Amino acid sequence: MQDGAGAEGGIQLLLTILADAEEQARQLGELAEDPRSRAEHYRGAARRLQGTLGKAVAVAKAVEAAPGSSRGTDRSDSPRSADESSGGTAAVEAPEGQILCNKRRKGLPRWTAKFRVPDANLEATPDDGFSWRKYGQKDILGAKFPRGYYRCTYRAAQGCPATKQVQRSDTDLCVFDVTYLGEHTCHQKQRHAAAVTAHGRGGSQSPPPPPPSHHEQQDPSMQLVVMGFKDSLKVETEASLLHQDHDCYDHGPASAPAAMPFSFPSVPPFHHHGGEAPDNNPAAAAFSPPGSSYFSAPPHHCPAVAGSYNVYDYEARPPGARMGGAQPSELGEVVSRATGLDYSSLYHHAEAEVDPHLPFPPFGGPSPSHGPYQ
DNA sequence: AAAATTTGACCTGC
DNA sequence: GCAGGTCAAATTTT
């Protein structure tokens, strides 16, 4: 898993960035056709595109320089992958027909978020704005509650590899640990779905793909959203401190789908810099920091845990887990240096063996290469 | 009827 | 061998 993982991940990262660039180029084109667009719009779009291309170049160089970048040693890591055409871990067909082995779950970017729900009594499930489909549940040793396994609803249709694991905390029924694995490559429109799905069933928070004509997107609150990204690691602490005695105000009866106090990201923590507008960034849209106007209410009924009502932190690697090799972080640093974006921190949050693929929001451009999984 | 969930079995990594 | 993760048939819900 080590060999070439960095390079391979870098290539995937590169592909993602290029897809990103493609989307931005498209936007630029649209701007050009829109008589109302102004010079600054062009400039902004162009700068974004330039930045994205810069990233691509940086990543390409890093991959080029990476030891073992010869790839090809596709780990046929599991015998099962043969029959896994039906599973999400199946190999993915690259455009040229080459097989990008998906390394099972392990190679996927991984990050966690903690969050609280308003009412511990309900089978509340967080809505992060993406549609998930439950595919399994498992009792976990030492945990009181089973862990739920979810995958992107659009996996079959669009080959989206994103999955998440949801586990209710033993100590506080209001708290869930959500581990995200892989990133959305699907086109689903993720909005700030600040709602908890409180009904156990119908469950997996499937926000109706909202018409794009909604208020959100580029109003001031979006800035807050972006800030949420930047400070993602700090948020928990700050929230804890700032809201130490913040009592959860009543949001309403348990019957009401208790609104989530926040939405947490379904893409890896991604640090935007000032220049990157969050437009077209569903991830950003789903990532509302405390205090954002997106919050409908803090939770109640929850005996304090850390005193904060919205805890969404990105778990760094557990102690003992070293970053697999230096490659991912190096890559991150390279990219950071080259682009001003702080990718390195992303890598620090990611799984050890992460192939550092995709710190980016699922822009319009999932590589069409993903074959249907099921 | 289609889509989503449940659940036991199976597979993999440690 | 055990625990965690995934599959897929059966079941339930929409």
Side-chain angles (χ1 to χ4, degrees):
Chain A
M1 213 81 24
Q2 288 102 327
D3 67 319
E8 217 169 276
I11 287 173
Q12 294 188 15
L13 177 59
L14 184 56
L15 287 171
T16 305
I17 296 173
L18 288 172
D20 210 329
E22 186 183 19
E23 172 62 23
Q24 289 169 355
R26 189 179 311 129
Q27 289 171 11
L28 190 55
E30 284 173 8
L31 274 178
E33 287 174 11
D34 187 348
R36 292 167 303 175
S37 51
R38 296 202 306 244
E40 58 254 48
H41 295 148
Y42 285 116
R43 273 195 291 273
R47 203 175 307 128
R48 256 174 283 149
L49 179 56
Q50 190 178 357
T52 303
L53 290 172
K55 286 180 231 168
V57 170
V59 171
K61 285 178 180 171
V63 169
E64 171 83 21
S69 59
S70 56
R71 53 195 317 257
T73 49
D74 68 76
R75 75 219 83 251
S76 46
D77 136 352
S78 73
R80 191 185 178 184
S81 52
D83 71 309
E84 244 171 16
S85 49
S86 63
T89 53
V92 176
E93 287 232 10
E96 307 87 14
Q98 76 195 64
I99 301 295
L100 298 178
C101 184
N102 234 353
K103 300 169 221 142
R104 311 189 63 63
R105 300 270 83 99
K106 283 190 96 177
L108 295 174
R110 169 186 183 143
W111 66 103
T112 65
K114 280 187 172 60
F115 60 92
R116 304 180 59 116
V117 297
D119 193 328
N121 298 322
L122 292 176
E123 291 264 329
T125 317
D127 182 353
D128 54 15
F130 284 99
S131 296
W132 299 98
R133 179 163 165 175
K134 191 172 187 177
Y135 66 89
Q137 180 170 300
K138 190 85 179 171
D139 286 321
I140 300 302
L141 198 73
K144 289 191 187 124
F145 302 98
R147 177 177 299 167
Y149 298 88
Y150 299 82
R151 66 167 64 108
C152 178
T153 300
Y154 302 100
R155 181 165 110 164
Q158 299 180 30
C160 180
T163 64
K164 70 173 180 180
Q165 302 173 358
V166 178
Q167 176 131 42
R168 193 186 281 262
S169 165
D170 294 345
T171 53
D172 186 342
L173 299 183
C174 299
V175 174
F176 284 81
D177 280 320
V178 180
T179 300
Y180 292 92
L181 291 148
E183 219 174 322
H184 287 278
T185 58
C186 55
H187 281 104
Q188 68 178 294
K189 297 262 200 301
Q190 184 206 26
R191 293 293 177 220
H192 67 279
V196 127
T197 309
H199 27 278
R201 211 138 175 77
S204 220
Q205 56 297 102
S206 25
S213 55
H214 272 142
H215 51 74
E216 60 267 20
Q217 277 289 281
Q218 47 237 39
D219 54 10
S221 57
M222 193 53 90
Q223 262 90 56
L224 292 172
V225 168
V226 177
M227 287 170 59
F229 269 103
K230 294 175 103 168
D231 300 331
S232 57
L233 271 178
K234 289 186 244 162
V235 168
E236 177 176 359
T237 314
E238 290 177 359
S240 305
L241 293 174
L242 292 175
H243 303 283
Q244 200 81 47
D245 42 14
H246 181 105
D247 34 323
C248 315
Y249 59 79
D250 239 287
H251 172 62
S255 60
M260 271 299 278
F262 70 103
S263 297
F264 56 90
S266 189
V267 296
F270 174 56
H271 296 226
H272 281 270
H273 67 2
E276 290 232 320
D279 45 7
N280 258 340
N281 188 342
F287 196 55
S288 308
S292 149
S293 54
Y294 290 166
F295 295 113
S296 8
H300 63 149
H301 301 172
C302 294
V305 164
S308 71
Y309 57 79
N310 41 8
V311 182
Y312 53 116
D313 72 309
Y314 296 102
E315 185 177 79
R317 261 355 286 151
R322 304 175 332 162
M323 277 311 280
Q327 283 184 7
S329 17
E330 276 172 8
L331 191 54
E333 282 172 22
V334 169
V335 179
S336 303
R337 235 178 276 131
T339 66
L341 296 181
D342 185 9
Y343 290 101
S344 54
S345 58
L346 163 77
Y347 293 114
H348 291 311
H349 303 154
E351 175 72 284
E353 293 172 307
V354 85
D355 68 14
H357 132 240
L358 321 181
F360 308 102
F363 260 123
S367 48
S369 47
H370 297 259
Y373 283 161
Q374 279 188 300

